[in-house]
Amino acid sequence: MSSERLVALLDEYADLEKRLADPAIHADQGAARRVGRRYAELVPLHKAAGELEQARADLVAARELAAEDPSFAAEAESIAATLPELEERLAELLIPRDPHDAKDVIVEIKAGEGGEESALFAADLLRMYTRYAERRGWLTEVLDAQDSDLGGVKDVSLAIKTKGVPEGGNGVWSRLKWEGGVHRVQRVPVTESQGRIHTSAAGVLVLPEAEEVDVTIDPNELRIDVFRSSGPGGQSVNTTDSAVRITHVPTGIVVSCQNEKSQLQNREQAMRILRARLLAAAQEQADAAASDARKAQVRTVDRSERIRTYNFPQNRITDHRIGYTAYNLDLALAGELDGVLDALTEADRAARLAGDPELGRR
């Protein structure tokens, strides 16, 4: 257990507590939210450190009493037995956590190979994440969507956020960061007349939503184009040039939004997505700069290779990274994702305790 790290974090907790008690900080809601999130992250650590300190003090007192009166020996033994668990919990909390865990997210879902069936599956995934968010009491907002002819989605961006400050610093990212990658479906498509099972896929990208202070964007490095919105099949659904396409010239990242009727609204939505993508790109560059090539490769593989299979005939959901299988696909698609997400979280926890912070994401 790193005593220096513990002291530093407890000092930070005390400083954040003072800042939150100062009415001046609440004049800037963005700053108050950031400080509140970090404070919430450190609350479990402060509590665990306090409980361990109290238990150690109680043990000293009980042993002193036992030296004079043997009847206190059992109490001393009982207190001593609680120390290993308290020390283990504190040691786990001292392991550096994902810096984005408290953040909200933007989930991008794109239909892949499989044509219309893939677009229908992408719509299933959109409903799955929306319903899971509802179960958690989170807020959802479709930032942009391109529908397909049969009611699926070719491409959709969904913002998911917590209400207020997430407890313990466990925001949406802490639960949904595992979802990025290729999701494969095996089922009989609605367009299949002979009842044959087809395999298709959709890609999911989960980005921690960036605040303006997280990413600096030079307006001179943006190319902004406007065009008319279009619906399924390419037909025009808007008679004005309200859709917006933003290109970040230095990186080549392109974001388009056409859901809103107002050009200004579409521009604001596109900037939210752009900030999130730039934050993710900056994180990858930081990993590479730290000479942690394996970590960067794992992230790349997670996005480009199949991570999960949804088999409808067997009502089976399988996560290939950790060997998780359950036969409750219908419930998972209805938003009951805690089974697979808990398994992924536990795999990550075990990996971090073993000193391999990326093992749980393979």
Side-chain angles (χ1 to χ4, degrees):
M1 184 184 303
S2 172
S3 58
E4 291 182 0
R5 176 171 169 76
L6 176 59
V7 170
L9 291 174
L10 291 178
D11 285 346
E12 182 184 359
Y13 173 90
D15 178 64
L16 293 170
E17 193 170 42
K18 290 180 182 177
R19 293 177 65 186
L20 287 173
D22 183 354
I25 194 174
H26 299 285
D28 183 344
Q29 289 301 309
R33 182 172 172 82
R34 287 190 297 275
V35 172
R37 280 177 170 177
R38 180 57 177 161
Y39 177 79
E41 288 179 13
L42 294 178
V43 165
L45 176 75
H46 179 264
K47 180 180 179 182
E51 290 178 354
L52 179 58
E53 182 180 7
Q54 184 63 54
R56 286 172 172 168
D58 290 345
L59 178 59
V60 171
R63 283 175 173 170
E64 289 177 352
L65 291 170
E68 300 176 2
D69 184 347
S71 64
F72 285 97
E75 181 179 350
E77 290 180 5
S78 176
I79 296 173
T82 67
L83 293 183
E85 181 181 348
L86 292 172
E87 290 170 347
E88 181 180 354
R89 191 200 323 166
L90 183 58
E92 183 178 338
L93 290 169
L94 281 170
I95 297 173
R97 62 184 295 168
D98 188 324
H100 299 312
D101 271 352
K103 287 187 176 292
D104 300 323
V105 306
I106 293 176
V107 179
E108 298 185 1
I109 307 171
K110 301 178 185 293
E113 296 180 0
E116 192 64 44
E117 166 62 11
S118 177
L120 290 170
F121 178 51
D124 290 338
L125 293 177
L126 173 62
R127 283 190 293 272
M128 179 180 77
Y129 292 128
T130 301
R131 289 171 179 171
Y132 180 68
E134 291 172 353
R135 290 175 180 272
R136 303 282 299 195
W138 296 336
L139 304 174
T140 61
E141 177 188 6
V142 174
L143 302 180
D144 192 53
Q146 297 181 38
D147 298 330
S148 69
D149 294 329
L150 296 183
V153 290
K154 299 176 183 177
D155 192 341
V156 61
S157 297
L158 177 72
I160 307 178
K161 59 175 58 183
T162 58
K163 296 178 181 177
V165 176
E167 184 177 351
N170 295 313
V172 184
W173 173 260
S174 71
R175 294 298 286 172
L176 295 186
K177 59 185 173 183
W178 322 110
E179 295 303 290
V182 174
H183 296 238
R184 184 178 68 170
V185 62
Q186 296 172 328
R187 66 181 174 189
V188 178
V190 294
T191 55
E192 170 59 55
S193 59
Q194 299 182 22
R196 294 175 297 187
I197 296 175
H198 284 222
T199 298
S200 61
V204 175
L205 182 63
V206 183
L207 305 169
E209 181 153 13
E211 300 178 49
E212 291 190 22
V213 296
D214 294 327
V215 177
T216 300
I217 301 177
D218 184 346
N220 295 321
E221 295 178 341
L222 300 179
R223 186 171 68 245
I224 302 176
D225 303 303
V226 295
F227 56 97
R228 291 188 181 181
S229 303
S230 61
Q235 70 266 31
S236 176
V237 295
N238 199 329
T239 58
T240 61
D241 292 336
S242 62
V244 173
R245 180 187 300 109
I246 299 179
T247 303
H248 186 249
V249 177
T251 61
I253 294 176
V254 180
V255 179
S256 298
C257 277
Q258 61 177 13
N259 258 34
E260 305 295 338
K261 295 180 180 179
S262 157
Q263 184 182 123
L264 179 60
Q265 289 176 311
N266 281 322
R267 176 170 174 160
E268 290 175 350
Q269 305 290 50
M271 287 298 293
R272 288 177 64 183
I273 298 172
L274 177 61
R275 279 194 293 269
R277 291 189 186 177
L278 287 173
L279 179 63
Q283 185 65 53
E284 289 186 356
Q285 290 174 1
D287 292 339
S291 300
D292 197 348
R294 181 189 61 79
K295 183 185 293 186
Q297 288 167 5
V298 169
R299 285 206 177 100
T300 301
V301 169
D302 275 356
R303 292 200 185 105
S304 62
E305 289 190 351
R306 173 195 67 189
I307 63 165
R308 192 175 297 155
T309 294
Y310 303 74
N311 184 293
F312 276 71
Q314 298 177 14
N315 196 36
R316 170 173 57 84
I317 180 171
T318 299
D319 195 287
H320 305 285
R321 294 164 294 183
I322 56 172
Y324 173 92
T325 294
Y327 294 87
N328 60 350
L329 175 58
D330 53 337
L331 297 178
L333 289 173
E336 295 187 21
L337 284 174
D338 280 331
V340 62
L341 295 181
D342 285 345
L344 285 160
T345 300
E346 180 55 32
D348 177 69
R349 173 183 172 276
R352 288 188 297 112
L353 287 172
D356 185 355
E358 289 295 320
L359 184 62
R361 297 191 188 187
R362 292 176 186 170

